Short mmCIF file of all heavy atoms in Angstrom, two decimals:
data_model
loop_
_atom_site.label_atom_id
_atom_site.label_comp_id
_atom_site.label_asym_id
_atom_site.label_seq_id
_atom_site.Cartn_x
_atom_site.Cartn_y
_atom_site.Cartn_z
N MET A 45 6.23 4.02 -0.26
CA MET A 45 5.70 3.08 -1.26
C MET A 45 5.75 3.76 -2.61
O MET A 45 5.17 4.83 -2.80
CB MET A 45 4.26 2.71 -0.94
CG MET A 45 4.09 1.97 0.37
SD MET A 45 4.56 0.26 0.23
CE MET A 45 3.09 -0.40 -0.53
N ILE A 46 6.42 3.12 -3.56
CA ILE A 46 6.58 3.68 -4.89
C ILE A 46 5.78 2.84 -5.87
O ILE A 46 5.99 1.63 -5.99
CB ILE A 46 8.07 3.68 -5.30
CG1 ILE A 46 8.90 4.48 -4.28
CG2 ILE A 46 8.25 4.23 -6.70
CD1 ILE A 46 10.39 4.26 -4.40
N PHE A 47 4.85 3.47 -6.57
CA PHE A 47 4.06 2.78 -7.57
C PHE A 47 4.94 2.43 -8.77
O PHE A 47 5.68 3.27 -9.27
CB PHE A 47 2.90 3.68 -8.02
CG PHE A 47 2.22 3.23 -9.26
CD1 PHE A 47 1.47 2.06 -9.27
CD2 PHE A 47 2.32 3.94 -10.44
CE1 PHE A 47 0.84 1.63 -10.42
CE2 PHE A 47 1.70 3.53 -11.59
CZ PHE A 47 0.96 2.37 -11.61
N LEU A 48 4.86 1.16 -9.21
CA LEU A 48 5.70 0.71 -10.33
C LEU A 48 4.92 0.51 -11.61
O LEU A 48 5.32 0.99 -12.68
CB LEU A 48 6.36 -0.63 -9.97
CG LEU A 48 7.38 -0.63 -8.83
CD1 LEU A 48 7.88 -2.04 -8.59
CD2 LEU A 48 8.53 0.31 -9.11
N ILE A 49 3.81 -0.25 -11.53
CA ILE A 49 3.18 -0.69 -12.77
C ILE A 49 1.75 -1.11 -12.48
O ILE A 49 1.42 -1.55 -11.37
CB ILE A 49 3.99 -1.84 -13.41
CG1 ILE A 49 3.59 -2.09 -14.85
CG2 ILE A 49 3.92 -3.10 -12.57
CD1 ILE A 49 4.59 -2.97 -15.62
N TYR A 50 0.89 -0.96 -13.49
CA TYR A 50 -0.53 -1.29 -13.37
C TYR A 50 -0.96 -2.18 -14.55
O TYR A 50 -0.50 -1.99 -15.68
CB TYR A 50 -1.35 0.00 -13.39
CG TYR A 50 -2.82 -0.24 -13.58
CD1 TYR A 50 -3.63 -0.55 -12.50
CD2 TYR A 50 -3.40 -0.20 -14.85
CE1 TYR A 50 -4.98 -0.80 -12.67
CE2 TYR A 50 -4.76 -0.46 -15.02
CZ TYR A 50 -5.53 -0.76 -13.94
OH TYR A 50 -6.87 -1.01 -14.11
N GLN A 51 -1.87 -3.12 -14.24
CA GLN A 51 -2.47 -3.97 -15.28
C GLN A 51 -3.97 -4.04 -15.04
O GLN A 51 -4.40 -4.39 -13.94
CB GLN A 51 -1.89 -5.39 -15.19
CG GLN A 51 -2.44 -6.37 -16.22
CD GLN A 51 -1.76 -6.26 -17.57
OE1 GLN A 51 -0.55 -6.17 -17.67
NE2 GLN A 51 -2.54 -6.28 -18.64
N GLY A 52 -4.75 -3.72 -16.05
CA GLY A 52 -6.19 -3.82 -15.96
C GLY A 52 -6.68 -5.18 -16.43
O GLY A 52 -6.05 -5.80 -17.30
N SER A 53 -7.79 -5.63 -15.90
CA SER A 53 -8.27 -6.98 -16.22
C SER A 53 -8.67 -7.12 -17.68
O SER A 53 -8.67 -8.22 -18.22
CB SER A 53 -9.45 -7.36 -15.32
OG SER A 53 -10.52 -6.45 -15.47
N TYR A 54 -9.00 -6.01 -18.32
CA TYR A 54 -9.41 -6.08 -19.72
C TYR A 54 -8.30 -5.68 -20.69
O TYR A 54 -8.52 -5.66 -21.91
CB TYR A 54 -10.64 -5.19 -19.96
CG TYR A 54 -11.88 -5.70 -19.25
CD1 TYR A 54 -12.49 -4.94 -18.26
CD2 TYR A 54 -12.41 -6.93 -19.55
CE1 TYR A 54 -13.62 -5.41 -17.62
CE2 TYR A 54 -13.54 -7.41 -18.91
CZ TYR A 54 -14.15 -6.63 -17.95
OH TYR A 54 -15.26 -7.10 -17.30
N ASP A 55 -7.13 -5.38 -20.14
CA ASP A 55 -6.01 -5.01 -21.01
C ASP A 55 -5.57 -6.22 -21.82
O ASP A 55 -5.37 -7.30 -21.28
CB ASP A 55 -4.83 -4.49 -20.17
CG ASP A 55 -5.13 -3.16 -19.51
OD1 ASP A 55 -6.12 -2.51 -19.91
OD2 ASP A 55 -4.39 -2.76 -18.59
N GLN A 56 -5.42 -5.98 -23.12
CA GLN A 56 -5.06 -7.09 -24.02
C GLN A 56 -3.58 -7.42 -23.95
O GLN A 56 -3.17 -8.55 -24.20
CB GLN A 56 -5.43 -6.73 -25.45
CG GLN A 56 -6.94 -6.58 -25.68
CD GLN A 56 -7.69 -7.88 -25.43
OE1 GLN A 56 -7.32 -8.94 -25.93
NE2 GLN A 56 -8.72 -7.82 -24.59
N GLN A 57 -2.78 -6.42 -23.62
CA GLN A 57 -1.33 -6.64 -23.62
C GLN A 57 -0.80 -6.53 -22.19
O GLN A 57 -1.35 -5.82 -21.35
CB GLN A 57 -0.66 -5.59 -24.49
CG GLN A 57 -1.01 -5.72 -25.97
CD GLN A 57 -0.12 -4.88 -26.84
OE1 GLN A 57 0.26 -3.78 -26.43
NE2 GLN A 57 0.24 -5.38 -28.01
N ASN A 58 0.31 -7.22 -21.97
CA ASN A 58 0.98 -7.11 -20.67
C ASN A 58 1.56 -5.70 -20.53
O ASN A 58 2.14 -5.15 -21.47
CB ASN A 58 2.11 -8.14 -20.56
CG ASN A 58 1.59 -9.54 -20.37
OD1 ASN A 58 0.43 -9.74 -19.99
ND2 ASN A 58 2.41 -10.53 -20.64
N ALA A 59 1.43 -5.15 -19.31
CA ALA A 59 1.95 -3.81 -19.06
C ALA A 59 3.48 -3.82 -18.98
O ALA A 59 4.08 -4.80 -18.53
CB ALA A 59 1.38 -3.28 -17.74
#
Side-chain angles (χ1 to χ4, degrees):
Chain A
M45 296 283 280
I46 302 166
F47 166 68
L48 294 178
I49 195 166
Y50 167 84
Q51 180 82 45
S53 59
Y54 293 117
D55 292 345
Q56 295 297 310
Q57 294 192 324
N58 287 342

